Amino acid sequence: MASADWLRAARAARSLSVVTLVWLGVESSLGLVAGVAAHSVALLGWGLSALVEAAASLIVVWRFTGSRTLSAGAELRARRAVAVSFWVLAPYLVLHVAYDMGAGHRAEPSVLGIVVTAVSMVSMPALGLAKRRLGARLASPSTSGEGTQNVICAVMAGGVLAGLWLNTLGWWWMDPAMAVTLAVVAAREGWRAWHGHACCH
């Protein structure tokens, strides 16, 4: 039988995931619009990664709803679903980089992209760290994995922001380099989530 403290933590994890879903909907939409306008693979990848994060948030909401709240089987399925959500992004980024490099596309400065990534870089760590603490209290790798995705989102936002700025200095290759880096990070974190390892960012 779960304690009252555990059940409160489960409700908090679900509520934080709902809040995250709302923000990620805005973040992803703006990031994709800015990425298309600027021909930025890293910005597009970051906007798509927000959709991947949203999937992880939905998984955690599912995990802590109804009878699944106390189900060890639901936790295992949720943990593996979060891992798959990490893996969805990696091949897209690599293929998109290859296509843009072949087509000769170069990222352009984007005020909208800079604003959205800056806001995410500041706000997402607080959400991610709170979920990681709740994940530890709940012994829930799926909750910790979702929190890790939020922290990675902030790190990625910082990298994309740096890439956009360096691109204005003529370092056009920084944008595709950041996109490939994001693909590697996503693949690695998917492997760790699948095996139930907590990430240390």
Side-chain angles (χ1 to χ4, degrees):
M1 188 68 180
S3 67
D5 181 64
W6 192 94
L7 291 172
R8 278 194 298 272
R11 287 193 296 271
R14 186 176 60 209
S15 297
L16 280 179
S17 293
V18 171
V19 169
T20 305
L21 274 172
V22 174
W23 166 243
L24 289 175
V26 174
E27 177 184 282
S28 178
S29 299
L30 295 178
L32 291 172
V33 167
V36 169
H39 296 289
S40 168
V41 187
L43 195 50
L44 274 172
W46 180 77
L48 286 168
S49 74
L51 293 180
V52 174
E53 284 181 82
S57 295
L58 279 172
I59 291 163
V60 171
V61 171
W62 172 87
R63 161 69 181 93
F64 290 111
T65 299
S67 61
R68 290 183 296 272
T69 301
L70 300 176
S71 168
E75 175 59 36
L76 175 62
R77 289 192 295 274
R79 188 189 84 205
R80 290 186 171 174
V82 168
V84 171
S85 75
F86 274 111
W87 289 330
V88 167
L89 185 61
Y92 170 82
L93 285 173
V94 174
L95 291 172
H96 206 325
V97 165
Y99 172 79
D100 272 20
M101 295 283 283
H105 292 161
R106 299 289 182 264
E108 301 167 1
S110 168
V111 174
L112 177 59
I114 289 170
V115 171
V116 175
T117 50
V119 170
S120 181
M121 187 174 63
V122 172
S123 63
M124 292 308 282
L127 269 176
L129 293 174
K131 290 175 190 175
R132 286 175 57 79
R133 285 193 293 270
L134 285 169
R137 286 171 60 190
L138 294 164
S140 170
S142 61
T143 304
S144 296
E146 186 204 355
T148 296
Q149 286 201 11
N150 297 152
V151 174
I152 289 174
C153 174
V155 174
M156 290 193 307
V160 172
L161 194 59
L164 289 172
W165 175 69
L166 289 170
N167 190 61
T168 65
L169 303 179
W171 294 16
W172 62 268
W173 49 269
M174 281 300 298
D175 186 78
M178 177 53 60
V180 171
T181 300
L182 300 187
V184 172
V185 170
R188 175 181 179 272
E189 297 304 337
W191 183 89
R192 291 176 65 84
W194 182 270
H195 293 282
H197 299 308
C199 305
C200 302
H201 290 280

